[in-house]
Structures are given as structure tokens and as C-alpha cells.
Amino acid sequence: MRVTTLFQTSFQSEISCGSVSLYVVLADAGQEVGSGTLLAADSQDPLQKKKKKIVILGTGWGGISFLKTLDCKLFDVQIVSPRNYFVFTPLLPSVTVGTVEARSVTEPIRRIIRKKDAEFHEAECIKIDPENKQVICKDVSELDFERKPEFALDYDYLVIAVGATSNTFGTKGVDEYCHFLKDVEDAEKIREQVVDIFETASLPHLSPEVRRNLLSFVVVGGGPTGVEFSAELHDLVHEDLLCLYPHLKDNVTITLVQSGDHILNTFDKRISQFAEKKFQRDGVHVKIGCRVLEVTNKHIRFKSKDTGQLVDVPYGMIVWSTGIRTRPVITDFMKQIRQENRRVLATDEWLRVKNCEGVYALGDCASVEQRKIVEDIADLFKVADKDNDGYLTAAEFVSTMEGVRVRYPQIDLYMNHNHLKGVIGLLDEAMNAGDQGTTKLDLEHFSAAISKVDSLMKCMPATAQVAAQQGTYLAHSFNHSAQGKPAEGPLRIREQGHHRFHPFCYKHLGSFAPLGGETAAAELPGDWVSIGRSTMWLWYSVYASKQVSWRTRALVMFDWTKRFIFGRDSSRM
Amino acid sequence: MRVTTLFQTSFQSEISCGSVSLYVVLADAGQEVGSGTLLAADSQDPLQKKKKKIVILGTGWGGISFLKTLDCKLFDVQIVSPRNYFVFTPLLPSVTVGTVEARSVTEPIRRIIRKKDAEFHEAECIKIDPENKQVICKDVSELDFERKPEFALDYDYLVIAVGATSNTFGTKGVDEYCHFLKDVEDAEKIREQVVDIFETASLPHLSPEVRRNLLSFVVVGGGPTGVEFSAELHDLVHEDLLCLYPHLKDNVTITLVQSGDHILNTFDKRISQFAEKKFQRDGVHVKIGCRVLEVTNKHIRFKSKDTGQLVDVPYGMIVWSTGIRTRPVITDFMKQIRQENRRVLATDEWLRVKNCEGVYALGDCASVEQRKIVEDIADLFKVADKDNDGYLTAAEFVSTMEGVRVRYPQIDLYMNHNHLKGVIGLLDEAMNAGDQGTTKLDLEHFSAAISKVDSLMKCMPATAQVAAQQGTYLAHSFNHSAQGKPAEGPLRIREQGHHRFHPFCYKHLGSFAPLGGETAAAELPGDWVSIGRSTMWLWYSVYASKQVSWRTRALVMFDWTKRFIFGRDSSRM
């Protein structure tokens, strides 16, 4: 089997896969040129038999879903992460209050790779050196022994999936005084501090004012994490802690500060309204349209956008959950590859980092720069107009659009959004675009119809779902190449043939917002909205099924049962 | 109901118990004089209606068993401890390696007192002021807010159950470099470090020597805790970690250093021999007769008692488990009450702290000074010799000894040890003590026979079992007094009547030593020894049944099941 497509920018290697030798050429990333290609041959050169080295940075959703799908026998795989476990992050708000235990939402990486041919290094990548195709790592051990803490790993392909840190938007005092909620340690610190606050507020020598201030919990950020944490905290306080600390009943306040006009503003309006009403009933103070100006050791100060009023709220604990920021190692890497003016690392639709050969990025540390269809419209018209008569027939339009709808995922989004019945619907719209309608499309009509499609392009959200889908997608591409399978991508517009792979296309499977008191809201595909107790049961079943292993699945389900029977634990540890 | 026995040193109060008022006199602690007494009356004086204040220091085995048995309606109860939870300490070695989870062996104090009329303060007692009947406490919060951290609590009765810290015997470097195993935090730190060591030793840039040194685990102390920890560590390494870190297989060593001639030397010889053989088979290096001289950041140095040889062992982790030391607050208190020359706080057999009115102590922070029978022998003879003829008849001997065997628990120990059939057996022995034997005992014969009994007196071990029995005993005494029940103690020797209560008598219910690989050894009452897999199942059932709540019982049993199915978790957190 031999695939002959070969690009100038490609580089060669051979992969030994069991007894079969595959001669592989993985394409390099020009914007449009390469989407990866491969040349398989029964080469007998033993020097070429070495497996290609893949280094994966990060063991979050992106890294792990890549790793789980990758056929590790085909590559020399090394994973680097300062955490030796994967965290099921959607359950972190539950960990903060003990609804589930920290160890129930984590799975050791070495269990995941136990039957895979891969090596794990518990270290932090402190520098990416694309010039020498190396990453410099530093061990994160707390052990006191003599060693050089840094070491280098060579790579042929680098998969960056290091995620992001919390964004403070430069607000004074946030790093010093606020909790974040990105990792298991954060969740456990919050859990300990909540109990610390209740115990300290119970001491006999405090003034009523100090007691009230201590029991003032502030959550900044009205997104899904902030809202879920507020709901979990409210449940913890009202279902468990107030039974154990009844003397503090009238002193607890929970305040949720949101800069936007509504909480959960990425969700359907019905959900955000429901959430706001539920919080109002529950006594959670929701401050919308408020921007936090600073945090001191005594209070958090925010400003109402509408009234301009400054409000100082004393607090016992603040949880900051407003967005994400690029990690320093990525910022440094971006400078090296002339991406310094961007907010996050840019990749193309094949997840290849722009301006950098052999490096892929996925998850929260990167964003996919989707290609606008208008940029290619003239070429597209040329390809479609097979008879070169300056007009597209219905057949020409349909066959071309069917061929490229995978390349430009916005086409499908547009068709779904406008309830069009496939490409034919799009054609109808294009035909009827002018005043009179037409039976043949010229470039002008074509452009007018197609350019609207780009309006529905949007950045992918920074969620576990995106990262996981990207990881699986990328691993499929790697496996596909290494196994020497033929090109599977869409039609090339500016060149001959097909792209090596489909570009990455995100499929939104819906999102949940647990709102406390056994109530959840869900936005499901097809604009379905579901709110209530049954949605909470849906949430339980989806989250149980999405667990990374049978072990964590069993543990999480046991934790839920335990919580129902015994309540949440309030030991301070 | 009125009990008229009243001592000079007693003090009065009234306890309101529901609608019944009890007029209480709790006796103060002279060495022999008072063993607590009580005067109950239907006093109508409202000023006397205030409940007596009990302050309990500590929430370990002693404090909690006291609290659980105490009728809190009869007293104003306050509990002070820096930990807001009780720890089932016998499972701590299991927590160090994740056989059970930390939260499964702890129960929040506030859950225990939920249905009791008691107050808990999460604070550390930093000073006991017996003069003003106050304890000074300091909050242990890590919160950053303005407050006076100290507060005082008044008491009428103080129950000290603060336990002890680890004893380093002044060995250099131990506090700096060794782990202890006294609390849940210690266990969790050990757990994290074991995984840290395995992860760090897996890094690619270490020399083989550094790798071997890192993977050298040293346990100091061959008592039950040290042995159980070694066994658990061995199981963790061989059952779980070596599957995940197979490349480290030949690098791991576990060394157990014991100063005595055998490990488990408080146990039956058969058990300590079995343990030593098992450890030899398992590859755990047992160094007996070795005294640790110092610990540096690189090695632990010990000296063989036999050969005088000095050995330096490099290490990755040392766990120090050699004995206990009095806490500073107790040392300070001992100075105030003229007990400065003692190792631990001395109490009498009623657990009353010597030289200090209204203060009781139990568990590891105190030791019971048992009264020798020889000290009372002349008085005892006088009491027994009812007809004052200078001789004891069999009937006189038997009735007296029956009356005082509770006062001197060594009598029962002696009879059990020598397989005597009750007091009659003791009489036979006394009658036959001289050359010819006699039918009537004079003082000399009597002394000769009885003085042997004292030889079997020994200090109670510093175990959970002793502390728990003491707590229950003391709470019964408090309840008994407050409820105005009549004296229940043994015959007084130097005065009229009976002691208010029985003195505390420790009943050894047996002890376990889990040896790893689903094997345990047990020493059961009546010199029974049981070793093997079935003993491990006995261990499981005893430890499950002894749990402080149904919650922890369910959790611990789930953890065991989880371990059988999924192994131990190796996430480093």
C-alpha cells in the first residue's frame, strides 16, 4: 500500500507497528497546504525503523482523551504533567463541599496507561523549544535530595494540552485573598476553609459583627462553575452545616457577583431566569452588572455598572471563577513562534499550532482559528463551476457544497440554525437571494448567499467537552496516519485532491447547570431546555456514564449514595 | 432521696435534670479519702440550680468515650480540641497507604454531640489554671481576620484527654526529617510522600544510586504501629505500586529498625517470631537491637547494640513510631501541681489528678498510680480481723478479700495468672505459705501471701482500648453521682463505709497485629494466640464493629471492598 501524495514541507519517518513497517510522512502545517499526509511503504531500512516520539503536555481532558484514543504501539509516547492523575473537572464544585470525594473524581495516569506502551513523567514543562524540538521539564517533587531538577525531552510531535489558569483580569488582591476552582487542590482548600469558617464563627469570644463577616461567602463569576458552586455551598450550609451549627443560622450569607446582566448568560434565557429566581428563593444574593474593583483582607469592593455605586462587602471566603488565562509557559512559547499578540495559542482546524512545525495544541490553552468561507469564495466558485461558464447549476452547487461542508463547519451550523433541509435548502436560499430569484448562480449571488454562513462562526467554549473531542479527534488523525490509511478529508479548494483528514468539528452535546436542592437545568442539542428534578437525575446518569474508569464511576456513585444517607462530612482536614 | 455521706473536702452544687433537681456533692480527691461522693436532695434554692460545668480537653478515644457515655443533660458540657473530629486511630496505618480513606476513619464531633446537650470549641488548650478553675484556649483557625485568638473557659470539673505527641528521645534530626504517625494529617502526608517518591524515582534523569536511595523506606520502632505500617507499605508496593511502576521493581527496600531484641515484643513470643519470619520472607529488612543515633537529610545512622557497629542507611522516607511524650500544656500543668518530676500526669485509680481538685485525666496523657496492697496490709488485717484475736479465720479472709478485690485489681490478675480458683485459692496458698501450713492466718502469714499479689501490677499500656475504657468508666461515675445513686465502690480500709465508685480496672480484650498479605496475629484474652488469614478476617470484623458510627462503619467496609476490587489509589494529592 502506498499513498503518493507528498508535500514539500513534509518530513519522513518509519513506524514499526507490530511486524508491519509503515513508512510515514506526517505533513507539516501550512495554513491551507498540509492537513497531514502519509506515505506508507515496506521500507527495509533499519535506521528508519525508529518510532516517532510524541510528547504530550498535560493530563487534563485534552491530553487524556488523546492518550486514550492514541494507538501507543505506533509511537514512542511520553506524557508530562505536574499532576499524576486525571481530574473529572465537572465534579469539582461537588468536591468543594464534600458531595463527592476528591479521590473519586481522579484517576491515576499510570492506571490509564497500564496497558499502553507509554511513559509518564510527573514534572512541569517550563519551556518549549521548537527550534531543537525539545521540551524542558522540571520535577515537582517536594523531596529534599540532591539532584538537577530539570531535564529535557525530545519530540517529533508535541501535543500541548496544558490547560489554563484562572483569570483575575489584574484585579488587586485576587491572587492573595481569593480561592480559585481549577484543580482538586483548590476544591479541597475550599472545603477545609468552609468548615474552618463555621468552627471559628462558633467560638465563644467573637463579636456578632465578626461572626457575620466570617460567614459571608462571596462567589465572583456567574458562569456555570460559579453558579454550581454557589448552589452546592447553599446545599451544604442548609442541608448539613446548619444542623450541626444551628446557632449560626441567621448569620450565613452567600453573594454571587456577576459582571454581565444575567447569571448563566451563555445558556438559554429560560435557564438563566430560572436560576436567578431559584437563587432569590434560596436567599442567595445575586448581584448582576457588578464589576469587582479590588479585594482587601477585609472586604471585596465592587461597582454597579448601572448606578455607579461602590459596594464594600466583608467576607470570610471568596471564590473567584471568572475566566481563564494563558499559562506562562505558553505565553513564552507564543513569543517564540510570533504569536505574541494573541490571547491564546492559535491552531488551524487540524489543531496544528500556527507557525510551528510538528506542534499540536488543544483544550483551554489553544483556540482554533476557523477559516472563513468568504476568504475562499472565488476559488470555491472556480472549483464548483466545472464547465467554466461563469454560472453554477444546481447540481454543481450541491456537489461542491457537499464536498466542502466538512471543511467549513459553519455551513452546517447555518443550515441547522435556519432549519434548512441540507445543501438543497441553502441552494434555494441562494437562488431566491436577489429580487427576482434566479435559476443559475453567478459569483455575486453565490457570494451573497454564502457569506451569510460565516456569521454563525464562533469560538469554541473553553469546556471539557471541546477538549475531549479535540483529543479524540487528534489521536484518530495520528492513528490514521501511522496506519497508512488513505486521505479522508474534504475537497481541497486551491489544490488538487483531498485533505488528509477532516478538520476538527465540535459537536455540542448539551450542557448542564446544577442549581442545588436536587434541581438542574440542561441545554440539550436541538435547542431543548430541561429544568427540574428529573434533569438532576439526567445529570447524575450522564456524569456517571462519562467517568473515565469503572473505578471512578463506582466511587462517584457510592459518594452520591453516601451523601443521601449520611450527609456531607464536616471534618476539617 | 438523700445520701448523707459527706466529706470535708467535698463541694456542693445542684444539678437540674429535666424536672428533677439533684443536690450533688462530688468528692474531692485525697489519695485514699474521697473516691467521689454525692448528696442528692430536692433543694428548692434557685441559686443552686445551675448545672456544674464540665470542660473536656481532647477528642480522642478518652474524650469521646467519656462524652458518648456522659449524660449531658445533667451537666453544662464544653469540649475543646484543635481537631473537630474523632479519629479511629487503629486504622491510621491503613490510611497511610490508602487501604482506607482518611475521611472513613474520622467522625465529626458535632455529629457525635448532635443529639447531646454539649458545646464544641475548635481550639487548643494552651494553659490550665487550676487556681482559678479555668482553661485558656487559642483558636486554631488559619483565617486572616482581626481577633483576640485566646479565650478562657471556666470549669467545675476538668477532664483532660489530650493524648500525647511522638517521642523522639532527643534524637538529632528526627523532628526535621521524619514522619510521625499520630494523626490523620500525618497519615495523609505519608501517603502523598510515598507516591511522590515513586513518581520522582521514575524521572528519566536520575542516577541509579539516587533512585535506590529515594526508594529506601525506613521505619523506626518495632511496636504494633511500626510493624503494621511496614506491612501495609509492603502490601502497597507489591500489590499496587509495582504494577504501575514496574521499572522500579528492584530498587525498593523497606527497613524496620527496632531497639529491642524482637519486634512486637509486648506480644506473645510466638507472634513476634512469626512476624519476624514473615517479614524475612517478604524481604522487609528487620534490624533488631539497633538504636538510632541521628538523622540527617541524607541518611539515618544507627548503632547495633551487640556489635557496636555504626550503620548509615540512605533513605527516601522515614516513619518514626517509637513511643509517646507528654504535651507541653500538660508539662506546664504538672509544674503547677507539683508533679514536675514525673513523666506523665499521675492520677489515682478514680482517674482524679493527684494534688488537684476537680481535675480528671485519662488516656495517653496520664497514668494511673495503682495502690499497692502492701501499703494497706496492716489496716487490711485490722479490718479483716473482726474479732480482734490477731488471727484471720477462713471466713474472715474470704469475706474481706471479696470486699477489696475490686479496690486492688492486682488480686484478680494474680489469681488468673496462677490459675487460682477465686479468693479460696488465694486462701489455700496463704495457709500453705509457711513450712507446715496453718489453719489460721496471723499478720505475718497474711502479709507474706498478699504481698506477692503486687508483683503483677503493671502500668496500663498507652492504647486506645485503655483510653476508651477510662472514658466510659469516668462518665459512668459522673452520671452515677449526678443521678444521686448510692455508693457502689469497694469497702474502705482506713475509714467507714464504702468507696463512692469502683476504682478503674482495665480489662484487656486482646490486641491485633496485622502483618500484611491478608495475615494478622492476635493475642486474645486467656493467653490465646491466633495467627493467619482467619485472624485477618477476625480483625476486619472487630474493627468494623468497633467503629464510632454507622457512617464510618459503612465507609470503612466500602473502602476495604474497593481495595479488593480496584486496588489502592496512587494519585498524589
Side-chain angles (χ1 to χ4, degrees):
Chain A
M1 188 178 61
R2 184 177 275 265
V3 181
T4 48
T5 326
L6 233 171
F7 300 104
Q8 266 188 314
T9 47
S10 68
F11 53 91
Q12 301 187 343
S13 86
E14 196 195 50
I15 282 166
S16 144
C17 166
S19 58
V20 188
S21 286
L22 296 168
Y23 184 46
V24 174
V25 180
L26 265 167
D28 167 54
Q31 166 69 17
E32 169 62 12
V33 184
S35 51
T37 187
L38 172 147
L39 189 82
D42 292 325
S43 165
Q44 295 303 316
D45 185 351
L47 283 176
Q48 300 260 358
K49 282 204 173 176
K50 247 179 109 191
K51 289 182 190 175
K52 284 283 180 195
K53 284 181 185 152
I54 300 184
V55 172
I56 306 169
L57 302 181
T59 50
W61 282 97
I64 288 306
S65 67
F66 176 76
L67 181 68
K68 286 190 92 172
T69 313
L70 190 71
D71 186 347
C72 292
K73 286 199 285 309
L74 305 178
F75 304 92
D76 171 354
V77 182
Q78 309 207 62
I79 310 134
V80 178
S81 171
R83 291 182 332 204
N84 80 341
Y85 51 85
F86 162 79
V87 186
F88 190 86
T89 46
L91 285 178
L92 277 186
S94 299
V95 174
T96 57
V97 299
T99 308
V100 299
E101 295 299 332
R103 287 188 183 271
S104 305
V105 301
T106 60
E107 180 74 0
I109 303 303
R110 291 184 190 273
R111 281 182 74 97
I112 296 173
I113 61 173
R114 199 163 33 163
K115 285 170 191 164
K116 291 202 160 225
D117 201 3
E119 253 183 89
F120 172 73
H121 308 300
E122 194 196 57
E124 193 171 351
C125 171
I126 52 168
K127 191 167 179 59
I128 299 166
D129 180 356
E131 200 113 328
N132 301 307
K133 293 205 161 231
Q134 265 196 345
V135 287
I136 313 296
C137 306
K138 193 179 160 190
D139 78 37
V140 289
S141 170
E142 281 161 16
L143 296 166
D144 173 24
F145 71 105
E146 268 173 45
R147 87 286 206 180
K148 212 175 108 247
E150 291 170 16
F151 60 96
L153 295 177
D154 295 328
Y155 67 81
D156 295 311
Y157 308 121
L158 179 64
V159 177
I160 306 178
V162 295
T165 58
S166 297
N167 199 347
T168 63
F169 303 102
T171 314
K172 222 173 114 188
V174 175
D175 278 319
E176 264 164 288
Y177 300 114
C178 296
H179 287 270
F180 300 109
L181 190 41
K182 290 289 291 174
D183 210 337
V184 157
E185 275 99 359
D186 299 336
E188 295 217 288
K189 270 188 219 152
I190 292 174
R191 184 172 185 183
E192 194 196 326
Q193 186 162 345
V194 172
V195 180
D196 190 1
I197 285 172
F198 271 81
E199 285 298 351
T200 308
S202 301
L203 292 176
H205 66 308
L206 297 188
S207 72
E209 193 199 341
V210 169
R211 186 164 291 137
R212 261 197 315 276
N213 292 352
L214 269 179
L215 289 163
S216 155
F217 297 89
V218 180
V219 183
V220 182
T225 310
V227 166
E228 188 178 345
F229 171 70
S230 307
E232 286 274 10
L233 183 64
H234 176 267
D235 282 0
L236 169 74
V237 169
H238 289 265
E239 291 172 8
D240 297 285
L241 294 187
L242 288 186
C243 305
L244 302 178
Y245 305 79
H247 47 286
L248 301 177
K249 199 169 169 44
D250 301 323
N251 295 287
V252 185
T253 51
I254 302 174
T255 310
L256 175 60
V257 183
Q258 158 74 330
S259 60
D261 290 338
H262 289 286
I263 59 172
L264 294 178
N265 53 12
T266 57
F267 279 72
D268 189 281
K269 222 181 199 171
R270 287 165 286 178
I271 292 179
S272 70
Q273 277 172 356
F274 179 86
E276 280 167 10
K277 271 188 201 148
K278 179 164 191 317
F279 277 6
Q280 201 178 7
R281 273 201 311 278
D282 288 348
V284 175
H285 305 295
V286 179
K287 305 278 182 196
I288 52 169
C290 289
R291 207 164 64 81
V292 175
L293 300 182
E294 68 162 353
V295 181
T296 71
N297 68 339
K298 283 191 184 148
H299 61 251
I300 175 168
R301 167 172 295 179
F302 50 80
K303 188 180 177 179
S304 165
K305 279 183 193 165
D306 286 349
T307 63
Q309 199 191 356
L310 286 180
V311 184
D312 283 349
V313 174
Y315 69 89
M317 186 169 87
I318 303 177
V319 174
W320 188 272
S321 159
T322 56
I324 55 170
R325 179 170 54 178
T326 311
R327 287 187 189 276
V329 63
I330 299 298
T331 318
D332 172 75
F333 175 56
M334 285 163 70
K335 273 186 202 144
Q336 293 182 64
I337 57 166
R338 305 179 312 283
Q339 287 202 9
E340 60 267 65
N341 296 323
R342 301 186 44 86
R343 208 178 44 84
V344 283
L345 204 52
T347 71
D348 65 14
E349 294 95 329
W350 289 270
L351 307 185
R352 296 170 304 185
V353 173
K354 293 195 170 183
N355 317 334
C356 193
E357 191 187 296
V359 181
Y360 300 76
L362 51 155
D364 291 1
C365 67
S367 90
V368 176
E369 282 219 332
Q370 290 163 83
R371 188 154 179 93
K372 286 187 179 161
I373 200 165
V374 285
E375 293 176 44
D376 295 330
I377 208 134
D379 294 300
L380 198 59
F381 190 81
K382 223 187 284 174
V383 170
D385 186 13
K386 281 171 192 143
D387 51 9
N388 270 323
D389 64 349
Y391 291 96
L392 301 187
T393 61
E396 281 173 343
F397 179 87
V398 169
S399 85
T400 308
M401 293 312 282
E402 286 291 357
V404 298
R405 63 194 278 193
V406 181
R407 173 71 187 86
Y408 307 96
Q410 59 264 45
I411 298 176
D412 280 8
L413 278 178
Y414 182 81
M415 293 189 304
N416 281 338
H417 187 258
N418 293 306
H419 308 290
L420 302 180
K421 283 185 181 151
V423 174
I424 294 288
L426 198 63
L427 175 69
D428 281 348
E429 213 183 57
M431 296 291 191
N432 299 319
D435 297 334
Q436 300 280 319
T438 175
T439 52
K440 274 186 158 185
L441 285 172
D442 60 4
L443 179 58
E444 198 185 334
H445 272 91
F446 182 67
S447 302
I450 292 304
S451 60
K452 283 188 284 179
V453 166
D454 284 336
S455 65
L456 280 182
M457 280 171 67
K458 53 181 174 185
C459 270
M460 290 166 207
T463 60
Q465 215 175 122
V466 170
Q469 289 183 21
Q470 289 181 332
T472 311
Y473 160 81
L474 192 63
H476 271 305
S477 307
F478 271 81
N479 293 343
H480 191 92
S481 287
Q483 287 159 356
K485 291 187 183 159
E488 59 173 10
L491 199 69
R492 285 178 180 281
I493 303 305
R494 296 190 180 155
E495 278 147 274
Q496 292 292 308
H498 282 250
H499 286 279
R500 187 82 204 91
F501 312 111
H502 290 305
F504 171 69
C505 175
Y506 169 57
K507 277 191 194 66
H508 185 62
L509 303 174
S511 35
F512 281 101
L515 299 171
E518 294 302 306
T519 309
E523 207 175 60
L524 302 169
D527 284 340
W528 275 70
V529 164
S530 163
I531 300 175
R533 282 177 176 262
S534 54
T535 314
M536 193 67 202
W537 284 100
L538 183 65
W539 181 91
Y540 282 124
S541 41
V542 169
Y543 277 31
S545 71
K546 289 282 175 196
Q547 290 298 319
V548 75
S549 73
W550 278 103
R551 187 184 142 273
T552 57
R553 192 167 296 131
L555 297 190
V556 162
M557 295 200 308
F558 175 76
D559 284 349
W560 286 332
T561 317
K562 180 179 87 179
R563 201 271 289 170
F564 274 112
I565 302 173
F566 301 113
R568 300 169 184 89
D569 184 21
S570 65
S571 303
R572 183 186 155 200
M573 63 172 80
Chain B
M1 187 178 60
R2 183 177 276 267
V3 182
T4 47
T5 326
L6 233 171
F7 298 104
Q8 264 189 317
T9 48
S10 67
F11 52 90
Q12 300 189 342
S13 85
E14 197 195 52
I15 283 168
S16 143
C17 168
S19 59
V20 187
S21 287
L22 295 168
Y23 183 47
V24 175
V25 181
L26 266 166
D28 168 55
Q31 167 67 16
E32 169 63 11
V33 184
S35 51
T37 186
L38 173 146
L39 189 81
D42 293 325
S43 165
Q44 294 304 314
D45 185 351
L47 283 175
Q48 301 260 359
K49 280 204 173 175
K50 248 178 105 190
K51 289 181 189 175
K52 284 282 181 196
K53 285 181 186 154
I54 300 184
V55 172
I56 306 169
L57 303 181
T59 50
W61 282 98
I64 288 305
S65 68
F66 176 76
L67 182 67
K68 285 190 91 172
T69 313
L70 189 70
D71 186 346
C72 291
K73 287 200 284 313
L74 304 178
F75 303 93
D76 171 353
V77 182
Q78 309 206 63
I79 311 135
V80 178
S81 171
R83 291 182 332 205
N84 80 341
Y85 50 86
F86 163 79
V87 186
F88 191 86
T89 46
L91 285 177
L92 277 187
S94 300
V95 174
T96 58
V97 299
T99 308
V100 299
E101 295 299 332
R103 286 186 184 272
S104 305
V105 301
T106 58
E107 180 75 0
I109 302 303
R110 290 183 192 273
R111 280 182 73 98
I112 296 173
I113 62 172
R114 201 163 31 164
K115 285 170 191 163
K116 290 200 160 228
D117 200 5
E119 254 182 89
F120 172 72
H121 308 299
E122 194 195 56
E124 193 171 351
C125 172
I126 51 169
K127 189 165 180 62
I128 299 166
D129 180 356
E131 198 113 329
N132 300 305
K133 296 205 159 230
Q134 266 195 344
V135 287
I136 313 296
C137 306
K138 193 180 160 188
D139 77 40
V140 290
S141 171
E142 282 160 16
L143 297 166
D144 172 24
F145 71 105
E146 268 173 43
R147 87 285 208 181
K148 214 174 107 246
E150 292 170 15
F151 59 95
L153 294 177
D154 295 327
Y155 67 80
D156 294 311
Y157 309 121
L158 179 66
V159 177
I160 305 177
V162 296
T165 59
S166 298
N167 200 347
T168 63
F169 302 103
T171 314
K172 223 173 112 188
V174 174
D175 278 321
E176 264 164 290
Y177 300 113
C178 297
H179 287 270
F180 299 107
L181 189 42
K182 289 290 292 176
D183 210 336
V184 157
E185 276 98 0
D186 299 336
E188 295 219 286
K189 272 189 217 150
I190 291 174
R191 184 172 185 183
E192 196 197 323
Q193 186 162 343
V194 172
V195 180
D196 191 2
I197 285 172
F198 271 81
E199 285 298 351
T200 308
S202 302
L203 291 177
H205 65 308
L206 297 188
S207 72
E209 193 199 340
V210 169
R211 188 164 288 137
R212 261 198 314 278
N213 292 352
L214 269 181
L215 289 163
S216 156
F217 297 90
V218 180
V219 183
V220 182
T225 309
V227 166
E228 188 178 347
F229 172 69
S230 307
E232 285 275 9
L233 184 64
H234 176 268
D235 282 0
L236 169 73
V237 169
H238 289 265
E239 291 173 7
D240 297 286
L241 294 187
L242 288 186
C243 305
L244 302 178
Y245 306 78
H247 48 285
L248 301 177
K249 199 169 169 44
D250 301 322
N251 295 286
V252 185
T253 50
I254 301 173
T255 310
L256 175 60
V257 184
Q258 159 73 330
S259 59
D261 291 338
H262 289 286
I263 60 172
L264 293 178
N265 53 12
T266 57
F267 279 72
D268 189 282
K269 222 183 200 169
R270 287 165 285 178
I271 291 179
S272 71
Q273 277 172 356
F274 179 86
E276 280 167 11
K277 273 189 200 149
K278 180 164 191 316
F279 276 5
Q280 202 178 7
R281 274 201 311 278
D282 287 348
V284 175
H285 305 294
V286 178
K287 306 276 182 198
I288 52 169
C290 288
R291 207 163 63 82
V292 176
L293 300 182
E294 68 162 352
V295 181
T296 72
N297 66 340
K298 283 189 185 150
H299 61 250
I300 174 168
R301 168 171 293 179
F302 49 80
K303 189 180 179 179
S304 165
K305 279 183 192 165
D306 285 351
T307 63
Q309 200 192 353
L310 286 180
V311 185
D312 282 348
V313 174
Y315 69 89
M317 186 171 85
I318 304 178
V319 174
W320 189 272
S321 158
T322 56
I324 55 171
R325 178 169 55 176
T326 310
R327 288 186 188 276
V329 64
I330 299 299
T331 317
D332 172 75
F333 175 56
M334 285 162 70
K335 273 185 203 146
Q336 293 182 64
I337 57 167
R338 304 178 313 282
Q339 287 202 10
E340 59 267 65
N341 296 324
R342 302 185 44 86
R343 207 177 45 82
V344 284
L345 205 52
T347 71
D348 64 15
E349 294 96 328
W350 290 269
L351 308 185
R352 295 170 304 186
V353 172
K354 292 193 172 183
N355 316 335
C356 193
E357 188 188 299
V359 181
Y360 299 76
L362 52 154
D364 292 359
C365 66
S367 88
V368 176
E369 282 219 332
Q370 288 163 83
R371 187 155 181 93
K372 288 189 178 158
I373 200 165
V374 284
E375 295 176 45
D376 296 329
I377 208 134
D379 294 301
L380 199 59
F381 189 83
K382 221 186 287 173
V383 170
D385 185 16
K386 281 171 191 140
D387 51 10
N388 271 322
D389 63 351
Y391 290 97
L392 299 188
T393 61
E396 279 172 344
F397 179 87
V398 169
S399 84
T400 307
M401 293 311 283
E402 286 291 358
V404 298
R405 64 195 275 195
V406 181
R407 175 71 188 85
Y408 308 96
Q410 59 265 46
I411 297 176
D412 279 8
L413 279 177
Y414 182 82
M415 292 189 306
N416 281 339
H417 187 260
N418 292 307
H419 307 290
L420 301 180
K421 285 186 179 152
V423 174
I424 294 287
L426 197 65
L427 175 68
D428 280 347
E429 211 182 60
M431 295 291 191
N432 300 319
D435 297 334
Q436 302 280 319
T438 174
T439 52
K440 273 186 159 184
L441 286 173
D442 59 5
L443 180 57
E444 198 185 338
H445 273 90
F446 181 66
S447 300
I450 292 304
S451 61
K452 283 189 283 178
V453 165
D454 284 335
S455 65
L456 279 182
M457 278 170 69
K458 53 181 172 185
C459 269
M460 290 165 208
T463 61
Q465 216 176 120
V466 170
Q469 289 183 20
Q470 289 181 332
T472 310
Y473 160 81
L474 192 63
H476 271 307
S477 307
F478 272 80
N479 294 342
H480 190 93
S481 287
Q483 287 158 356
K485 289 185 183 162
E488 59 174 10
L491 200 67
R492 287 178 179 280
I493 303 305
R494 295 188 182 159
E495 279 147 273
Q496 291 294 307
H498 282 251
H499 286 278
R500 187 80 204 89
F501 311 111
H502 291 305
F504 172 69
C505 175
Y506 170 57
K507 276 191 194 65
H508 185 64
L509 303 174
S511 35
F512 282 102
L515 300 171
E518 294 302 306
T519 310
E523 207 175 60
L524 302 170
D527 284 339
W528 275 69
V529 164
S530 163
I531 300 176
R533 281 175 177 265
S534 54
T535 314
M536 193 66 202
W537 284 101
L538 184 64
W539 182 90
Y540 282 124
S541 41
V542 169
Y543 277 32
S545 72
K546 288 282 175 197
Q547 290 298 319
V548 76
S549 72
W550 278 103
R551 189 184 140 272
T552 57
R553 191 167 297 131
L555 297 190
V556 161
M557 295 198 310
F558 176 77
D559 284 349
W560 287 331
T561 316
K562 181 179 87 181
R563 202 271 288 170
F564 275 111
I565 302 174
F566 301 112
R568 298 168 184 89
D569 185 21
S570 66
S571 303
R572 181 185 158 204
M573 65 173 79

